[in-house]
């Protein structure tokens, strides 16, 4: 069967028309990009066209190599632009039949020796790693026609048909950015602006301004980082930005006013997904105000979503359970150590990893992962909701909530916050009284001024929670 993703790259190379790239001051129009890909294709080895570990990032050179791999029929297993040596070694030891694309040596194994790609009978296009938020990262396999359908469904749900450019603020190896932006640009011939990301906020915003990028994808934490760095100013505003998509966590309702300053003419979409969905499940437009943070919209395309009990029995509408998905826009299974694919299930369905419910109208509400819903005195409490409310309190920049379970089985919420100074107790108490039931109040609340972040600009939740549990942070209040 013909692969639409590979065909799109081959057409680009042949016709020298389509996607263009911008990286800093460098503009790479379609003819030049086509030539770069063709030259890179000539350097790839003969032999089987199986999976190969390949770096992908916000650089023309990395995307050139990635596109050349696709054009030649290899199946790129996407890696970040930089991977710690120990992590890379563990990955290669876990998948010994799959070579690594070394810039200097070509295809090699974990010891640096030459290794050809393996022959695989199953049809697939690329492989994306999960974030590992629910355990060790898994490698999710995507098929060309499914990826194309997902891009089309995303574009329809986000009204992207009239747009001609996108700015990549997230790293390109993120499934969210790779499909929603890179693959979209490839299939539509749009301009792809590759920014250095939030680590260089002024350079990123100035590049997006100059290139008049029309849509972007980001996570809520990136807005909070921009706010903390003093970049929410009119001089950095992006008036050409028409669509802003949020995913990778709850929508940035706490930064809604800042978003209006930075993106004064944009339409905002809340998106939900997972790498298994490659990567989008649902979407909806957000208008601000008192909207439920759990509401992530309706399924994109023909995707089916439902909630189940722990044994996989489907729940009726409006009942909370494990979220399951199935459709022809998703990944097809898990990559095995020999390069083959293990389907998610007999019918192609898979759990998203979160708990939620689907209403009678088909609207999906997501309440978090299993460890983000706790039972406090018989009341089901969402830690995501607690974080949203605490985060919206005056003086709080961000919040991380976790559940504590006593030996008796009793559970209660613990919260850590950051900002310039600890929040005032009376203001916090009044805010919680207005927005949360008493069961959802944090029994202990800690303060940390310097928020540890992961490389993707999200809070290092595990470290923050460990510090709070070990009482190594400043205690703001204790209701125990």
């Amino acid at each position: 069967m013909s692969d639409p993703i590979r065909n799109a790259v081959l057409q680009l190379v042949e016709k020298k028309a389509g996607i263009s790239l911008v990286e800093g001051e460098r503009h790479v129009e379609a003819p030049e990009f086509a030539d770069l890909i063709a030259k890179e294709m000539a350097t790839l080895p003969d032999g089987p066209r199986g999976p190969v570990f390949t770096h992908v990032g916000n650089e023309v050179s990395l995307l050139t190599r990635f596109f050349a791999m696709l054009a030649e029929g290899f199946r790129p297993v996407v890696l970040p632009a930089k991977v710690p040596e120990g992590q890379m070694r563990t990955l290669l030891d876990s998948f010994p039949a799959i070579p690594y694309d070394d810039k200097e040596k070509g295809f090699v194994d974990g010891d640096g020796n030459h290794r050809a790609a393996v022959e695989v009978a199953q049809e697939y296009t690329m492989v994306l790693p999960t974030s590992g938020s629910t355990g060790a990262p898994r490698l999710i396999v995507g098929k060309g026609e499914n990826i194309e359908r997902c891009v089309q469904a995303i574009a329809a749900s986000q009204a992207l048909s009239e747009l001609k450019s996108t700015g990549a603020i997230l790293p390109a190896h993120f499934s969210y950015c790779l499909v929603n932006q890179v693959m979209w640009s490839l299939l539509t011939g749009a301009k792809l602006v590759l920014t250095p990301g939030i680590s260089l906020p002024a350079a990123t915003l100035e590049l997006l301004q100059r290139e008049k990028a029309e849509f972007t994808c980001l996570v809520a934490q990136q807005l909070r980082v921009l706010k903390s760095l003093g970049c929410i100013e009119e001089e950095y505003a992006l008036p050409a930005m028409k669509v802003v998509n949020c995913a990778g966590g709850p929508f940035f309702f706490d930064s809604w006013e800042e978003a209006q300053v930075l993106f004064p003419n944009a339409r905002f979409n809340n998106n939900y997904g997972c790498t298994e969905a490659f990567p989008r499940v649902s979407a909806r437009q957000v208008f601000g105000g008192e909207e439920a943070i759990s509401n992530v919209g309706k399924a994109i395309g023909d995707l089916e979503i439902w909630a189940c009990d722990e044994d996989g029995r489907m729940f009726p509408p409006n009942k909370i359970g494990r979220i399951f998905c199935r459709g022809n826009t998703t990944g097809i299974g898990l990559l095995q150590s020999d390069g083959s694919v293990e389907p998610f299930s007999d019918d192609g369905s898979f759990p998203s990893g979160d708990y939620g419910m689907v209403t009678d109208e088909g609207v999906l509400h997501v309440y978090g992962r299993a460890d983000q819903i706790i039972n406090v005195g018989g009341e089901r409490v969402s830690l995501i909701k607690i974080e949203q409310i605490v985060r919206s309190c005056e003086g709080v920049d961000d919040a991380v909530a976790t559940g504590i379970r006593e030996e008796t089985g009793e559970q209660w919420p613990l919260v850590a916050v950051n900002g310039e100074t600890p929040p005032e107790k009376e203001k916090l108490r009044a805010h919680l009284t207005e927005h949360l039931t008493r069961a959802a109040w944090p029994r202990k609340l800690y303060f940390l001024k310097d928020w540890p972040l992961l490389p993707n600009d999200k809070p290092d939740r595990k470290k923050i929670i460990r510090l709070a549990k070990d009482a190594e942070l400043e205690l703001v209040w204790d209701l125990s």
Side-chain angles (χ1 to χ4, degrees):
M1 184 179 294
S2 179
D3 186 321
I5 302 301
R6 182 187 181 203
N7 288 345
V9 181
L10 290 172
Q11 283 192 344
L12 168 64
V13 173
E14 178 185 350
K15 297 181 178 180
K16 300 183 186 297
I19 181 176
S20 61
L21 306 179
V22 179
E23 181 188 350
E25 298 296 325
R26 184 184 181 188
H27 287 68
V28 181
E29 299 300 329
E32 181 185 355
F33 191 35
D35 289 342
L36 290 172
I37 295 171
K39 290 178 182 177
E40 202 69 38
M41 289 168 64
T43 69
L44 292 170
D46 295 327
R49 267 31 190 167
V52 181
F53 286 109
T54 306
H55 292 290
V56 173
N58 297 28
E59 301 172 26
V60 171
S61 60
L62 292 177
L63 289 184
T64 300
R65 186 70 171 180
F66 173 62
F67 278 31
M69 287 268 200
L70 291 171
E72 280 293 314
F74 289 101
R75 330 293 174 88
V77 183
V78 172
L79 298 173
K82 294 181 180 179
V83 180
E85 184 177 343
Q87 184 179 335
M88 189 73 244
R89 181 69 198 217
T90 299
L91 196 58
L92 292 174
D93 288 345
S94 301
F95 294 85
I98 300 176
Y100 165 64
D101 183 27
D102 184 277
K103 186 177 180 180
E104 304 298 331
K105 300 179 180 179
F107 293 1
V108 297
D109 61 16
D111 295 320
N113 301 314
H114 171 74
R115 177 180 290 281
V118 295
E119 188 75 56
V120 291
Q122 293 151 299
E123 294 181 358
Y124 60 91
T125 304
M126 67 180 74
V127 183
L128 302 181
T130 65
S131 66
S133 59
T134 58
R138 303 190 301 166
L139 300 181
I140 309 301
V141 178
K143 206 171 180 178
E145 53 263 39
N146 287 29
I147 298 170
E148 181 184 45
R149 282 191 289 260
C150 188
V151 169
Q152 292 168 346
I154 289 171
S157 70
Q158 299 172 352
L160 304 180
S161 60
E162 302 300 318
L163 306 187
K164 304 299 182 185
S165 63
T166 184
I169 300 176
L170 290 165
H173 73 275
F174 279 25
S175 60
Y176 184 23
C177 179
L178 187 62
V179 176
N180 211 147
Q181 295 183 271
V182 178
M183 290 295 103
W184 176 81
S185 296
L186 170 66
L187 292 171
T188 64
K191 177 171 71 174
L192 175 62
V193 182
L194 301 168
T195 79
I198 299 302
S199 59
L200 295 173
T204 290
L205 296 175
E206 288 167 3
L207 180 57
L208 294 174
Q209 273 184 340
R210 189 188 75 208
E211 296 300 324
K212 295 181 171 57
E214 294 180 299
F215 98 87
T216 194
C217 300
L218 46 74
V219 295
Q221 181 61 25
Q222 291 179 310
L223 268 181
R224 299 180 194 124
V225 171
L226 290 174
K227 179 181 177 181
S228 70
L229 295 174
C231 293
I232 308 296
E233 302 290 344
E234 288 189 7
E235 66 176 297
Y236 292 115
L238 303 170
M241 197 71 73
K242 297 177 181 178
V243 176
V244 174
N245 295 310
C246 176
F251 189 82
F252 43 76
F253 286 110
D254 60 297
S255 303
W256 181 252
E257 293 182 3
E258 288 81 2
Q260 305 300 306
V261 173
L262 202 57
F263 309 107
N265 301 316
R267 179 176 65 254
F268 296 88
N269 295 315
N270 188 16
N271 296 264
Y272 172 71
C274 55
T275 309
E276 289 85 349
F278 237 81
R280 196 55 51 233
V281 170
S282 66
R284 74 174 179 97
Q285 187 173 350
V286 175
F287 299 94
E290 295 296 323
E291 299 183 49
I293 195 170
S294 62
N295 184 347
V296 294
K298 295 185 177 182
I300 66 166
D302 297 325
L303 195 71
E304 299 176 78
I305 48 176
W306 64 92
C308 286
D309 65 14
E310 295 302 321
D311 295 321
R313 290 185 290 266
M314 186 181 298
F315 279 147
N318 305 310
K319 188 168 182 179
I320 298 174
R322 297 176 68 203
I323 299 170
F324 272 74
C325 311
R326 178 176 58 219
N328 62 8
T329 60
T330 73
I332 61 172
L334 302 174
L335 186 70
Q336 302 302 294
S337 60
D338 62 356
S340 64
V341 183
E342 179 184 348
F344 293 131
S345 61
D346 291 341
D347 64 358
S349 64
F350 56 88
S352 74
D354 288 309
Y355 279 69
M357 72 174 183
V358 181
T359 69
D360 292 312
E361 294 77 27
V363 175
L364 176 62
H365 286 259
V366 177
Y367 299 108
R369 301 195 179 277
D371 61 355
Q372 291 177 311
I373 299 176
I374 61 175
N375 189 312
V376 182
E379 181 178 333
R380 291 171 72 96
V381 171
S382 168
L383 297 177
I384 289 179
K385 180 67 177 294
I386 295 173
E387 289 179 359
Q388 177 202 10
I389 296 305
V390 174
R391 194 181 290 125
S392 64
C393 182
E394 181 180 344
V396 175
D397 288 342
D398 204 357
V400 167
T402 190
I404 301 297
R405 182 184 291 273
E406 304 285 4
E407 291 183 1
T408 60
E410 178 190 8
Q411 291 181 287
W412 50 270
L414 176 150
V415 174
V417 302
N418 85 321
E420 285 300 312
T421 58
E424 296 181 22
K425 293 181 183 179
E426 291 309 312
K427 287 185 178 180
L428 183 59
R429 183 182 296 273
H431 189 70
L432 297 182
T433 300
E434 181 180 357
H435 295 286
L436 290 177
T437 64
R438 190 63 179 78
W441 283 30
R443 187 173 297 183
K444 290 186 179 182
L445 189 142
Y446 292 91
F447 172 77
L448 176 63
K449 183 175 182 179
D450 296 319
W451 213 232
L453 299 177
L454 296 168
N456 60 10
D457 296 320
K458 292 184 180 182
D460 188 340
R461 299 179 65 90
K462 291 182 179 179
K463 182 174 182 179
I464 294 166
I465 290 170
R466 178 180 57 77
L467 292 172
K469 285 182 175 179
D470 293 344
E472 295 182 23
L473 308 181
E474 179 181 343
L475 182 65
V476 176
W477 77 3
D478 185 347
L479 300 181
S480 58

